[in-house]
Amino acid sequence: MSGPGGSASPVHAIDWSAPGLAPWRCPGEGLTSPMSAGDASVSQMLNRALGSPVRFVPQAELPPGTAYEQFIFDTGRVPTRENLHDFFNGLCWLRFPLTKQRLNQLQAAEIARAGVREVRGPVRDALTLFDENAALLQAPEPLWDALTARDWHRLFVTLRPLWAQARLVLFGHALLEKLVTPYKSITAHVLRVPVPMALGEDLAAWDAWLARGLSGPVLAGKPFTPLPVMGVPGWWPANEDPAYYADADVFRPRRPDAPLDNP
């Protein structure tokens, strides 16, 4: 299997014990085990999982000139390339089926309203950003306050013990792909809507909650705040040293004249 740029990106390179990938370990690890993977294509591997609302098909089944999102909406089939990017997209369909369906419905509604244009427009741009790079955060209010203020020292150093009460789940499949070969500046777009603490670790409940709340107008308002995920305690060994967060190229301060990213 090769990656988006053509470089080798075998599924066996995935470390499912990494904190950012752990929520995807089931069914991901079973699908990528040598016995399960064998010589199977990415679409064949994904289709072995139970409960998917869609079928995964080779990219060649997408007719020329047909919008990818419209094809999924019309056929219930997801064109899938032989790379990690599309493998993680498939895992998102398996783990967050209601949300992925909702995103696809919103994309199709925008296509029906405005057609397929060279410039996607604010709603489709926001939908794509969410699909590729969003993250979901369940955390105590002080962590949210520090995050939206982009007060990185307070978020990661002063309030570090509070992260034991938080759960960060990466949703975007491009974001998940980056974690296979992690680097310091990986940055997620955290949805500025706190996941209710009452939902606990139940990702099926997260999925239902999220799907209910997504709409074109909500996403067009760009309800995101940046989070360099390798700063999260336990996600990268080097961040045990408070000096790690002094890197302003990664942990960029909020401009004095910029509004707070209120959740």
Side-chain angles (χ1 to χ4, degrees), residues 22 40 49 51 78-79 98 101 118 126 133-134 146 154 172 176-177 180 191 202 209 235 238 249 255:
V78 178
L98 299 178
Q101 284 181 309
E118 186 173 339
N133 208 60
R154 183 165 178 262
L176 291 165
E177 181 189 15
V180 178
L191 182 68
D202 185 352
W209 165 83
W235 282 44
D249 288 336
R255 298 192 316 271

Side-chain angles (χ1 to χ4, degrees), residues 21 25-26 46-47 64-65 70 74 91 99 120 162 167 183 210-211 216 219:
L21 295 174
R25 190 168 194 162
C26 179
L46 291 168
N47 284 330
Q70 189 66 51
D74 291 340
L91 285 192
T99 300
R120 285 180 166 233
L162 278 185
R167 297 181 182 89
Y183 52 92
L210 182 59
L219 289 172

Side-chain angles (χ1 to χ4, degrees), residues 4 42 46 56 59 68 79-91 173 177:
V42 172
L46 291 168
F56 302 94
Q59 180 71 17
Y68 168 82
T80 303
R81 298 166 298 179
E82 294 301 303
N83 57 40
L84 281 176
H85 187 87
D86 285 14
F87 174 73
F88 280 115
N89 181 52
L91 285 192
H173 53 280
E177 181 189 15

Side-chain angles (χ1 to χ4, degrees), residues 180-194:
V180 178
T181 53
Y183 52 92
K184 185 176 183 179
S185 60
I186 297 174
T187 300
H189 287 75
V190 175
L191 182 68
R192 292 197 314 264
V193 182

